[in-house]
Amino acid sequence: MDTLHHQLSQPGSLHHGGRLRAAATRFEIPLENWLDLSTGINSNGWPVRTPPASTWVRLPEEEDELNATACRYYGTDFLLPVAGSQAAIQALPQLRAPSRVSVLNPGYAEHAHAWKRHHHTVFAVTPEQIDAALPDTDVLIIIHPNNPTGDVFPIARLLDWHAQLTGRGGWLIVDEAFMDATPELSIAAYTTRPGLIVLRSLGKFFGLAGARVGFVCAHPKLLVALNNLLGPWAVNAPARWIAIQALQDDDWQGKARQRLLQDSQRFHALLSQHHLPPDGGTAFFQWVRSAEAHYVFEKLALQGILTRFFSDPGSLRLGLPATEMEWQRLDRALARI
């Protein structure tokens, strides 16, 4: 039987987690009966408040508090709000002439896809291959922590790679979509340096994936070029208002980080107990590499639990359960495999 991954793949598109309706159709289980662990999004996200009615009848205004609030949160001097970091991933390749691009692999596949589509030469590199590949690289793309392996890199090492690249006009792009639980590992504070670009998002930590709010932290010259390419009103007014409130909520952020880190330890122990010891992970998900990954994916799906299957290498990414009932349901399902 084809996996859900292969069934849903279409020419020119990539498969992602969260396609719950397709899973419900394929496995003939009603939508409301599923436990979705496929995305890595914090399912105990920021408690959304209702935006004022005025946000719906006025065009977005760049003079609001969003930039200043986001700069404080990310610890950077300059940034540009975008419609989710995906918008930046698709746009950045258009700001360079054809280049040699090294992309961390395995990793978030949209990066390589976007650069290939705009006629750049793309190479997949493992963490161990980066140093050797760097002399022949114009743009290095790091997902940090990596998705799905959870790999992290010391800031000093990232800055060394950046220095080598920028010395010949290159870029280091660091996708920090899963960074919020471990802000001490972020390199965003260094993005006043030309050629260093950091992508952030409200989707994972704040659980606001549907709002489509992301940020590009970079040198002002690059941000101007990116803004000109994307055009006005990239982020809608209600989403801007919600983002400001979430980024200002220091109390919720502190509690959420503590809970995520504790739950990730619990998750590691649970999977290990069921003979699926993780090979990596973050505060948001665990990554299990196994020759039986496809089998486990199917057996969990038949019980209404959706995970993220990767064929190369054969592995599963499992996001955190949200409630005690969900933890117990997953425990029981794993015991049946």
Side-chain angles (χ1 to χ4, degrees), residues 311-325:
S311 58
D312 185 21
S315 55
L316 289 179
R317 188 191 67 198
L318 301 93
L320 291 171
T323 66
E324 189 60 34
M325 184 178 297

Side-chain angles (χ1 to χ4, degrees), residues 6-245:
H6 291 109
Q7 180 183 349
L8 297 176
S9 294
Q10 299 293 331
S13 66
L14 297 174
H15 170 61
H16 301 285
R19 302 183 71 172
L20 197 57
R21 293 182 185 277
T25 299
R26 181 191 167 190
F27 292 97
E28 299 181 345
I29 297 174
L31 192 64
E32 63 272 15
N33 292 346
W34 281 86
L35 169 56
D36 185 4
L37 304 180
S38 68
T39 67
I41 295 169
N42 180 10
S43 52
N44 289 299
W46 183 75
V48 178
R49 303 164 193 168
T50 303
S54 59
T55 62
W56 297 102
V57 297
R58 296 178 61 86
L59 289 171
E61 295 182 297
E62 296 179 0
E63 295 78 17
D64 61 15
E65 300 174 73
L66 182 57
N67 278 47
T69 301
C71 281
R72 180 188 69 86
Y73 176 80
Y74 294 118
T76 188
D77 292 332
F78 307 105
L79 53 73
L80 178 69
V82 294
S85 53
Q86 181 64 35
I89 290 170
Q90 294 176 201
L92 285 170
Q94 301 177 58
L95 299 182
R96 286 189 66 96
S99 302
R100 299 165 299 176
V101 182
S102 292
V103 183
L104 191 61
N105 183 66
Y108 184 54
E110 288 287 352
H111 287 285
H113 183 66
W115 287 86
K116 287 177 182 177
R117 190 172 61 183
H118 291 284
H119 311 297
H120 299 271
T121 303
V122 177
F123 306 93
V125 293
T126 65
E128 296 76 20
Q129 294 171 332
I130 292 174
D131 287 314
L134 215 58
D136 298 313
T137 296
D138 302 309
V139 178
L140 174 62
I141 302 174
I142 300 293
I143 303 93
H144 188 232
N146 191 29
N147 171 22
T149 68
D151 288 328
V152 294
F153 304 91
I155 288 177
R157 191 177 186 194
L158 294 171
L159 291 177
D160 177 64
W161 289 339
H162 167 256
Q164 294 182 56
L165 290 162
T166 195
R168 54 180 183 272
W171 288 356
L172 172 62
I173 300 175
V174 184
D175 182 345
E176 294 188 344
F178 289 99
M179 181 59 74
D180 296 69
T182 52
E184 68 278 4
L185 301 178
S186 173
I187 198 172
Y190 298 89
T191 51
T192 52
R193 305 181 184 191
L196 178 57
I197 303 162
V198 170
L199 309 181
R200 299 297 295 257
S201 170
L202 266 63
K204 303 301 189 295
F205 176 64
F206 290 96
L208 295 173
R212 308 310 305 140
V213 181
F215 300 92
V216 181
C217 308
H219 189 276
K221 184 176 180 180
L222 183 137
L223 296 180
V224 169
L226 182 60
N227 189 45
N228 290 338
L229 176 62
L230 295 174
W233 312 308
V235 180
N236 67 76
R240 291 180 73 97
W241 185 90
I242 289 171
I244 292 169
Q245 314 310 310

